[in-house]
Amino acid sequence: MFTSVLMIEKPLTPADVEFVTTLHGDDQVSFVVLMQPRGKQDILLRAIDDVALGEFDEAVREGGEPEGAKAAHPAEVALAHTLAELRDTGAQAVGQVVEDHPLDLLRSVVDETGADEVIVLTTPHFVEEFFHRDWASRARHKVGVPVLKLFSHADDEPADGPAAS
């Protein structure tokens, strides 16, 4: 069984589910999903990323994103949806919402599960990526397994696989 730790910030789209569950061909895969609530991320950096992507309406709405305890429930719902979608493909999947220090949790989960890889599946974060402060760049220095960074699909994108970096 191949074990992947999957770090996400929003529920997986059907295209994302298809992509991550078929990355290893016919090998059986189990997933440990770590869901980071969006409200825990820096509002200014999210707004800059939205502007860089030309999503001006989204940049304006960033301040209305739930934070703290209010962000926990949407994250739990998104995690439950993602786990159900992964299991529907026949994959094993467990997960948890990240409370604090996502990279410390990632390292402990990789160690405890004997994971074979980490997949960071997020929307583009240009500022963080430029300064190598994004999850994938930082995770490469914390875990002893390969780290793959993929960009998640929007709900209306075709299912030909998320962009990788």
Side-chain angles (χ1 to χ4, degrees):
M1 173 84 56
F2 196 87
T3 302
S4 295
V5 178
L6 183 59
M7 293 187 72
I8 61 174
E9 60 190 358
K10 65 180 192 172
L12 298 185
T13 66
D16 294 334
V17 170
E18 180 181 352
F19 192 72
V20 299
T21 57
T22 60
L23 273 174
H24 301 289
D26 293 332
D27 292 342
Q28 278 194 307
V29 181
S30 78
F31 293 95
V32 179
V33 181
L34 302 179
M35 172 61 139
Q36 172 74 28
R38 262 183 70 84
K40 295 243 180 183
Q41 301 162 4
D42 188 288
I43 293 170
L44 177 60
L45 292 178
R46 290 194 324 248
I48 291 170
D49 288 337
D50 291 337
V51 169
L53 290 167
E55 297 174 353
F56 303 110
D57 290 342
E58 289 297 318
V60 172
R61 284 194 283 268
E62 288 297 350
E65 205 54 57
E67 294 187 29
K70 292 180 182 177
H73 179 70
E76 290 167 1
V77 170
L79 175 63
H81 169 79
T82 294
L83 294 175
E85 293 294 315
L86 290 168
R87 290 175 186 146
D88 284 349
T89 69
Q92 294 180 13
V94 296
Q96 69 185 75
V97 173
V98 175
E99 303 272 332
D100 294 305
H101 311 293
L103 295 173
D104 292 340
L105 177 61
L106 173 64
R107 181 175 43 203
S108 68
V109 167
V110 167
D111 291 344
E112 290 169 12
T113 63
D116 298 292
E117 70 181 356
V118 171
I119 300 172
V120 178
L121 185 65
T122 68
T123 57
H125 297 289
F126 296 113
V127 175
E128 291 174 337
E129 290 169 18
F130 180 77
F131 291 106
H132 302 286
R133 300 301 303 157
D134 59 299
W135 284 347
S137 296
R138 292 169 50 205
R140 288 183 181 112
H141 301 287
K142 287 229 178 223
V143 298
V145 298
V147 176
L148 178 63
K149 180 170 69 176
L150 303 173
F151 293 135
S152 59
H153 278 86
D155 291 327
D156 57 349
E157 290 182 25
D160 59 352
S165 81

Short mmCIF file of all heavy atoms in Angstrom, two decimals, residues 38 43-44 46-51 54-65:
data_model
loop_
_atom_site.label_atom_id
_atom_site.label_comp_id
_atom_site.label_asym_id
_atom_site.label_seq_id
_atom_site.Cartn_x
_atom_site.Cartn_y
_atom_site.Cartn_z
N ARG A 38 -8.89 27.99 5.63
CA ARG A 38 -8.46 29.21 4.92
C ARG A 38 -8.32 30.40 5.86
O ARG A 38 -7.46 31.24 5.67
CB ARG A 38 -9.44 29.55 3.81
CG ARG A 38 -8.99 29.07 2.47
CD ARG A 38 -9.94 29.47 1.36
NE ARG A 38 -9.97 30.87 1.02
CZ ARG A 38 -9.12 31.49 0.20
NH1 ARG A 38 -8.14 30.82 -0.32
NH2 ARG A 38 -9.26 32.76 -0.08
N ILE A 43 -4.52 37.12 5.35
CA ILE A 43 -5.50 37.76 4.47
C ILE A 43 -4.82 38.60 3.39
O ILE A 43 -5.21 38.56 2.22
CB ILE A 43 -6.47 38.64 5.29
CG1 ILE A 43 -7.32 37.77 6.20
CG2 ILE A 43 -7.35 39.49 4.38
CD1 ILE A 43 -8.13 38.56 7.21
N LEU A 44 -3.80 39.36 3.76
CA LEU A 44 -3.12 40.21 2.79
C LEU A 44 -2.47 39.38 1.69
O LEU A 44 -2.61 39.71 0.50
CB LEU A 44 -2.06 41.08 3.49
CG LEU A 44 -1.22 41.96 2.57
CD1 LEU A 44 -2.11 42.93 1.80
CD2 LEU A 44 -0.16 42.69 3.35
N ARG A 46 -3.36 36.41 0.65
CA ARG A 46 -4.43 35.87 -0.19
C ARG A 46 -4.94 36.91 -1.15
O ARG A 46 -5.19 36.62 -2.33
CB ARG A 46 -5.58 35.33 0.67
CG ARG A 46 -5.23 34.09 1.44
CD ARG A 46 -6.46 33.39 2.03
NE ARG A 46 -7.50 34.24 2.48
CZ ARG A 46 -7.87 34.40 3.75
NH1 ARG A 46 -7.24 33.76 4.71
NH2 ARG A 46 -8.87 35.20 4.07
N ALA A 47 -5.12 38.15 -0.69
CA ALA A 47 -5.62 39.22 -1.55
C ALA A 47 -4.61 39.53 -2.66
O ALA A 47 -5.00 39.74 -3.82
CB ALA A 47 -5.92 40.46 -0.72
N ILE A 48 -3.33 39.55 -2.34
CA ILE A 48 -2.30 39.80 -3.35
C ILE A 48 -2.32 38.69 -4.40
O ILE A 48 -2.22 38.95 -5.60
CB ILE A 48 -0.91 39.94 -2.71
CG1 ILE A 48 -0.84 41.23 -1.89
CG2 ILE A 48 0.19 39.91 -3.77
CD1 ILE A 48 0.40 41.35 -1.02
N ASP A 49 -2.45 37.46 -3.96
CA ASP A 49 -2.53 36.34 -4.90
C ASP A 49 -3.75 36.49 -5.80
O ASP A 49 -3.67 36.24 -7.01
CB ASP A 49 -2.60 35.00 -4.15
CG ASP A 49 -1.28 34.60 -3.51
OD1 ASP A 49 -0.22 35.09 -3.96
OD2 ASP A 49 -1.31 33.81 -2.56
N ASP A 50 -4.89 36.89 -5.24
CA ASP A 50 -6.09 37.09 -6.04
C ASP A 50 -5.87 38.16 -7.10
O ASP A 50 -6.25 38.00 -8.26
CB ASP A 50 -7.28 37.48 -5.16
CG ASP A 50 -7.77 36.35 -4.27
OD1 ASP A 50 -7.51 35.18 -4.61
OD2 ASP A 50 -8.40 36.65 -3.23
N VAL A 51 -5.24 39.26 -6.71
CA VAL A 51 -4.97 40.34 -7.66
C VAL A 51 -4.02 39.85 -8.75
O VAL A 51 -4.23 40.11 -9.94
CB VAL A 51 -4.40 41.58 -6.94
CG1 VAL A 51 -3.87 42.60 -7.94
CG2 VAL A 51 -5.47 42.21 -6.04
N GLY A 54 -5.75 38.10 -11.32
CA GLY A 54 -6.80 38.86 -11.98
C GLY A 54 -8.17 38.63 -11.39
O GLY A 54 -9.19 38.95 -12.00
N GLU A 55 -8.24 38.08 -10.20
CA GLU A 55 -9.51 37.78 -9.53
C GLU A 55 -9.82 38.89 -8.53
O GLU A 55 -9.77 38.70 -7.32
CB GLU A 55 -9.45 36.41 -8.86
CG GLU A 55 -9.25 35.29 -9.87
CD GLU A 55 -9.05 33.93 -9.22
OE1 GLU A 55 -8.93 33.85 -7.97
OE2 GLU A 55 -8.99 32.95 -9.97
N PHE A 56 -10.14 40.07 -9.06
CA PHE A 56 -10.32 41.25 -8.23
C PHE A 56 -11.49 41.12 -7.27
O PHE A 56 -11.42 41.59 -6.14
CB PHE A 56 -10.45 42.49 -9.12
CG PHE A 56 -9.27 42.68 -10.03
CD1 PHE A 56 -9.39 42.47 -11.39
CD2 PHE A 56 -8.03 43.01 -9.51
CE1 PHE A 56 -8.29 42.62 -12.22
CE2 PHE A 56 -6.92 43.15 -10.33
CZ PHE A 56 -7.04 42.96 -11.69
N ASP A 57 -12.57 40.49 -7.71
CA ASP A 57 -13.72 40.31 -6.83
C ASP A 57 -13.35 39.45 -5.62
O ASP A 57 -13.80 39.70 -4.50
CB ASP A 57 -14.90 39.66 -7.57
CG ASP A 57 -15.52 40.60 -8.59
OD1 ASP A 57 -15.30 41.82 -8.49
OD2 ASP A 57 -16.23 40.11 -9.49
N GLU A 58 -12.54 38.43 -5.86
CA GLU A 58 -12.10 37.57 -4.76
C GLU A 58 -11.22 38.35 -3.78
O GLU A 58 -11.32 38.15 -2.57
CB GLU A 58 -11.33 36.36 -5.29
CG GLU A 58 -12.19 35.36 -6.01
CD GLU A 58 -13.22 34.71 -5.11
OE1 GLU A 58 -12.90 34.36 -3.96
OE2 GLU A 58 -14.37 34.57 -5.56
N ALA A 59 -10.35 39.21 -4.30
CA ALA A 59 -9.47 40.00 -3.43
C ALA A 59 -10.28 40.86 -2.47
O ALA A 59 -9.94 40.98 -1.29
CB ALA A 59 -8.54 40.86 -4.28
N VAL A 60 -11.37 41.43 -2.95
CA VAL A 60 -12.22 42.28 -2.12
C VAL A 60 -12.90 41.45 -1.04
O VAL A 60 -13.07 41.91 0.09
CB VAL A 60 -13.26 43.00 -3.00
CG1 VAL A 60 -14.29 43.73 -2.15
CG2 VAL A 60 -12.57 43.96 -3.95
N ARG A 61 -13.25 40.20 -1.35
CA ARG A 61 -13.98 39.35 -0.39
C ARG A 61 -13.08 38.69 0.65
O ARG A 61 -13.58 38.10 1.60
CB ARG A 61 -14.74 38.26 -1.14
CG ARG A 61 -15.99 38.77 -1.82
CD ARG A 61 -16.87 37.60 -2.25
NE ARG A 61 -16.37 36.97 -3.46
CZ ARG A 61 -16.73 37.30 -4.69
NH1 ARG A 61 -17.62 38.24 -4.87
NH2 ARG A 61 -16.25 36.68 -5.72
N GLU A 62 -11.77 38.76 0.51
CA GLU A 62 -10.87 38.06 1.44
C GLU A 62 -11.11 38.45 2.90
O GLU A 62 -11.00 37.62 3.78
CB GLU A 62 -9.40 38.28 1.07
CG GLU A 62 -8.95 37.55 -0.18
CD GLU A 62 -9.02 36.04 -0.11
OE1 GLU A 62 -9.24 35.46 0.96
OE2 GLU A 62 -8.86 35.41 -1.17
N GLY A 63 -11.43 39.71 3.15
CA GLY A 63 -11.67 40.14 4.52
C GLY A 63 -12.88 39.49 5.15
O GLY A 63 -13.00 39.44 6.37
N GLY A 64 -13.80 38.97 4.36
CA GLY A 64 -15.01 38.33 4.86
C GLY A 64 -14.85 36.84 5.13
O GLY A 64 -15.78 36.17 5.54
N GLU A 65 -13.67 36.30 4.88
CA GLU A 65 -13.37 34.88 5.09
C GLU A 65 -13.45 34.57 6.59
O GLU A 65 -12.91 35.31 7.41
CB GLU A 65 -11.96 34.65 4.57
CG GLU A 65 -11.57 33.28 4.13
CD GLU A 65 -12.43 32.60 3.10
OE1 GLU A 65 -12.65 33.10 2.01
OE2 GLU A 65 -12.84 31.48 3.43
#
